[in-house]
Amino acid sequence: MARREVVLGGVAAAMAAVCCNEAAAQSGSPSGDAAARARPEPGDQLILADAEKDAKPLAPGDLEPNGDQVLAWAMQPGSGTVRNGSRLNQVLLIRLDPAELDETTRKRAAEGVVAYSAVCTHQQCPVSVWLPEKRALHCPCHGSEFDPRRSGQVVNGPALRPLAALPVRVENGLLVVGGRFVGRVGAPQPG
């Protein structure tokens, strides 16, 4: 029961952070400016999502191998602007055994660290849970699961599309964005 309470508490905290960031973006506050709303760019550093005020760029060693996923934001290294003006910019990071990654995923990874959009491709809920027994990323809203070793492919629906992948690399010992998102971030918009 205690693990379930911890997981649900984490989901609630993540959803609250998403709501606060969206409100800030709409209110015109500093985190709502164009640079903060812009998608992660190559060369941006990655920081913990809950440590924006004390933004310390992450290194591969900051992530426990085969440990839980970590939620992160991209940050421009020169200006220190955190790209948190849109919840669609939130990234999840997880460090896996590089030998377990398929070839495409391995090319986008850095020392086993893979990065994906933290927004589910079903209804845009936060993908906030790592299921170690299934080795899958889990969206608690509707139960979609994704395989981070296989380009974020769906292993359990209702999502139909994989998570958007974010290439990463190591630069000066730190994790940085290696390219733009590969794939569409979030769910298709009704049209």
Side-chain angles (χ1 to χ4, degrees):
M1 188 67 157
R3 180 171 186 230
R4 179 183 170 115
E5 290 169 358
V6 169
V7 169
L8 291 175
V11 169
M15 293 178 87
V18 165
C19 292
C20 291
N21 285 328
E22 285 296 305
Q26 294 171 3
S27 71
S29 71
S31 66
D33 67 19
R37 287 189 310 272
R39 296 285 176 265
E41 291 286 332
D44 283 353
Q45 298 170 333
L46 294 165
I47 63 167
L48 289 174
D50 62 354
E52 296 169 42
K53 290 188 171 68
D54 299 319
K56 175 186 161 250
L58 293 166
D62 294 331
L63 291 117
E64 182 182 335
N66 296 309
D68 288 341
Q69 69 184 27
V70 171
L71 295 176
W73 295 111
M75 178 181 74
Q76 287 180 320
S79 70
T81 298
V82 178
R83 298 194 191 278
N84 63 356
S86 170
R87 69 186 184 90
L88 298 178
N89 291 346
Q90 192 160 54
V91 176
L92 63 84
L93 303 170
I94 190 162
R95 188 172 182 191
L96 303 168
D97 180 351
E100 293 182 359
L101 306 178
D102 70 15
E103 183 178 342
T104 301
T105 304
R106 195 173 316 123
K107 288 178 183 177
R108 295 180 188 144
E111 296 181 24
V113 176
V114 294
Y116 293 99
S117 167
V119 179
C120 185
T121 59
H122 175 239
Q123 293 290 321
Q124 299 196 150
C125 292
V127 179
S128 57
V129 178
W130 169 243
L131 300 174
E133 66 281 358
K134 290 184 171 184
R135 311 220 9 102
L137 300 165
H138 177 78
C139 176
C141 292
H142 302 103
S144 292
E145 295 174 359
F146 305 88
D147 186 345
R149 299 164 298 153
R150 310 277 177 269
S151 299
Q153 292 297 315
V154 177
V155 293
N156 187 30
L160 300 175
R161 291 184 303 106
L163 293 173
L166 186 67
V168 291
R169 66 179 191 267
V170 175
E171 191 174 285
N172 298 320
L174 301 175
L175 285 169
V176 298
V177 176
R180 290 185 171 77
F181 277 114
V182 177
R184 184 180 179 138
V185 174
Q189 298 300 312

